[in-house]
Amino acid sequence: MDTGTQKQEIRRRLEGARNLPTLPGVVARLLEMVDSPETTGRQLGLELAKDQVLSAKILKLVNSGFYGFSQPISTIPHAVTMLGFETVKSLVVGSSVLEMMEEALPGLWEHSLACARTGTLIAQHIELAQPEEVSVIGLLHDLGKVLLFQCFADEFQRVRTLVDDQGMLFSDAEQAVMGVNHGEMAGWLLEKWTLPPKLVDPITNHHDFRPHRDHAERTAVLHLADILCRAEGYGSGGDKNIPRLEPAALQSLDLTIEDIRHIMNQMQGELSDISRL
Amino acid sequence: MRKVTVEEATVGDIVAAPIINEQGRVLLPVGAKLSAAVLSRLKGWGVNELTIEGEDPDNPAKSKEDILTELDQRFADWEGDALMMQIKEIAHGHLQRI
């Protein structure tokens, strides 16, 4: 089977999979609400409170030590006040896939959270508009690995074997086994969830940066964040090595090694509560 | 800190992450010491797992040597890449201070 046909076959199987994760209805509504400047923390809290399980998961996440508040946060409106809309938004989406991530690969959740925060640091450094959206991208960028684990058990095992026995990068092993990597797989699902291209494209292309593509700047931010988190050893992406930093990505962000040093130094403080595996 | 099941937790263990019920209410804050009375009630509160202080005896913290060896392994493919080596050097500086 040639690569194109193989890829179509994987997409067909993914879209037909019965155990595909679903984006809870409340999440879709919340995503619309937070995009409106008129939405208040109280309205958001009320909407979220309709889904008790989700609210509980978010409060658990907020209180789990990731944000280092001395007093527990016990209500959603309080969380919105303390963390801001956009962070809560990313937590809404993230918490719906948190358990799946923990199940799929040990350390994947920590890696995703580290990428969310590092992406935000880079976005702030280059003064990118809406840095909080980069945090959502970071949190969800490896969702494709969860899909692989959930819907493609045989392929997942073959990928793991290549990674463990031959020291391959996870994405290279996926490419070898299926002709597609987890970025593209996540993109298919996120498109189905009707997330906007500005969030989906960077995730789809984070292992294949091309400067001329749409949303190249955000893709470059995610690509860099992923590599810096792996370099510093926050969590685990499921393999033991690091993809090469694409020089064109760095050029497109107009960053030097001194900027990277500054960002990596900032990570030490901002990510101190995330375990290094 | 480490995650344990309620069965594995023992009297005197210190809570390292707040224990929160399904309604989002905090049942035990960070730093709480588990008493026999609390321990016996955890199951009834619907708690199956908790995070406590201390190292996991089956999975001890890595030594600095191990951490730096893993850093070398992570970058082994990029010895000839100046940019990747510079990033490694910065990470090395940070990991050495852990």
Side-chain angles (χ1 to χ4, degrees):
Chain A
M1 209 185 312
D2 68 65
T3 316
T5 320
Q6 196 183 11
K7 203 167 166 172
Q8 285 314 313
E9 171 66 13
I10 293 283
R11 182 167 192 166
R12 196 188 56 75
R13 277 175 58 197
L14 178 73
E15 289 179 343
R18 259 188 260 150
N19 53 349
L20 208 59
T22 53
L23 190 66
V26 64
V27 178
R29 281 197 300 282
L30 284 165
L31 290 176
E32 274 172 35
M33 284 177 75
V34 287
D35 281 337
S36 156
E38 281 148 36
T39 305
T40 65
R42 191 178 142 69
Q43 286 171 323
L44 199 66
L46 289 174
E47 185 62 33
L48 244 179
K50 289 181 190 166
D51 188 329
Q52 281 223 346
V53 176
L54 190 62
S55 316
K57 276 188 196 167
I58 288 170
L59 288 173
K60 201 169 170 179
L61 207 56
V62 169
N63 286 303
S64 65
F66 282 144
Y67 292 97
F69 296 123
S70 52
Q71 295 293 317
I73 292 178
S74 53
T75 66
I76 293 288
H78 187 195
V80 175
T81 314
M82 298 296 283
L83 297 167
F85 264 3
E86 295 299 336
T87 306
V88 171
K89 174 165 90 175
S90 65
L91 289 176
V92 169
V93 181
S95 63
S96 60
V97 294
L98 158 66
E99 279 153 27
M100 293 185 269
M101 279 195 193
E102 283 181 337
E103 213 185 317
L105 290 167
L108 186 60
W109 170 248
E110 287 83 358
H111 170 68
S112 304
L113 197 74
C115 276
R117 294 218 204 135
T118 304
T120 309
L121 287 176
I122 301 168
Q124 285 164 345
H125 187 86
I126 60 171
E127 297 178 9
L128 192 72
Q130 295 162 312
E132 60 288 340
E133 287 187 354
V134 174
S135 111
V136 182
I137 294 168
L139 205 60
L140 297 178
H141 79 286
D142 272 349
L143 180 65
K145 291 179 182 170
V146 177
L147 298 178
L148 186 61
F149 169 76
Q150 280 214 317
C151 310
F152 297 87
D154 287 350
E155 284 83 355
F156 183 76
Q157 275 319 320
R158 283 161 61 197
V159 167
R160 287 301 299 264
T161 305
L162 287 177
V163 167
D164 293 342
D165 296 353
Q166 298 186 28
M168 277 174 96
L169 271 170
F170 207 95
S171 52
D172 288 347
E174 290 171 324
Q175 209 73 48
V177 170
M178 306 179 293
V180 60
N181 71 44
H182 58 273
E184 292 168 273
M185 288 175 71
W188 296 334
L189 181 66
L190 294 171
E191 247 175 51
K192 208 176 144 118
W193 284 355
T194 65
L195 260 68
K198 62 180 178 172
L199 299 182
V200 179
D201 290 351
I203 293 175
T204 301
N205 299 320
H206 76 276
H207 282 293
D208 184 22
F209 176 79
R210 309 277 170 88
H212 62 270
R213 285 194 179 133
D214 287 347
H215 310 296
E217 202 174 23
R218 286 170 168 220
T219 309
V221 170
L222 175 60
H223 174 70
L224 176 61
D226 186 20
I227 287 164
L228 297 186
C229 290
R230 287 157 173 265
E232 295 277 1
Y234 291 107
S236 166
D239 46 20
K240 292 202 181 319
N241 25 19
I242 303 184
R244 174 170 172 264
L245 177 59
E246 183 55 59
L250 211 54
Q251 277 162 18
S252 79
L253 299 176
D254 203 15
L255 291 177
T256 65
I257 189 69
E258 282 317 307
D259 294 305
I260 290 185
R261 185 188 305 279
H262 176 76
I263 292 161
M264 288 173 80
N265 286 343
Q266 278 186 309
M267 287 166 72
Q268 304 311 299
E270 294 285 327
L271 281 68
S272 58
D273 54 337
I274 300 177
S275 61
R276 301 193 197 228
L277 295 179
Chain B
M1 63 177 78
R2 62 190 168 112
K3 264 190 187 169
V4 291
T5 62
V6 169
E7 288 79 14
E8 289 164 340
T10 52
V11 172
D13 281 344
I14 311 279
V15 174
I19 298 176
I20 296 164
N21 70 5
E22 281 300 313
Q23 284 75 45
R25 229 186 96 210
V26 177
L27 302 173
L28 284 177
V30 171
K33 205 177 207 176
L34 295 182
S35 63
V38 166
L39 206 50
S40 65
R41 261 180 262 145
L42 284 176
K43 275 265 170 191
W45 290 343
V47 176
N48 297 313
E49 215 180 45
L50 61 157
T51 308
I52 56 166
E53 295 286 358
E55 209 172 86
D56 183 349
D58 297 330
N59 194 11
K62 283 177 195 158
S63 69
K64 189 176 285 180
E65 287 71 32
D66 289 348
I67 290 173
L68 294 177
T69 306
E70 284 178 9
L71 177 72
D72 284 339
Q73 283 170 356
R74 289 205 286 277
F75 282 90
D77 290 342
W78 310 119
E79 301 269 319
D81 187 304
L83 181 59
M84 290 300 280
M85 286 300 105
Q86 283 173 306
I87 293 175
K88 181 188 172 184
E89 206 44 51
I90 300 169
H92 187 270
H94 293 148
L95 293 169
Q96 219 171 17
R97 271 181 264 141
I98 288 179

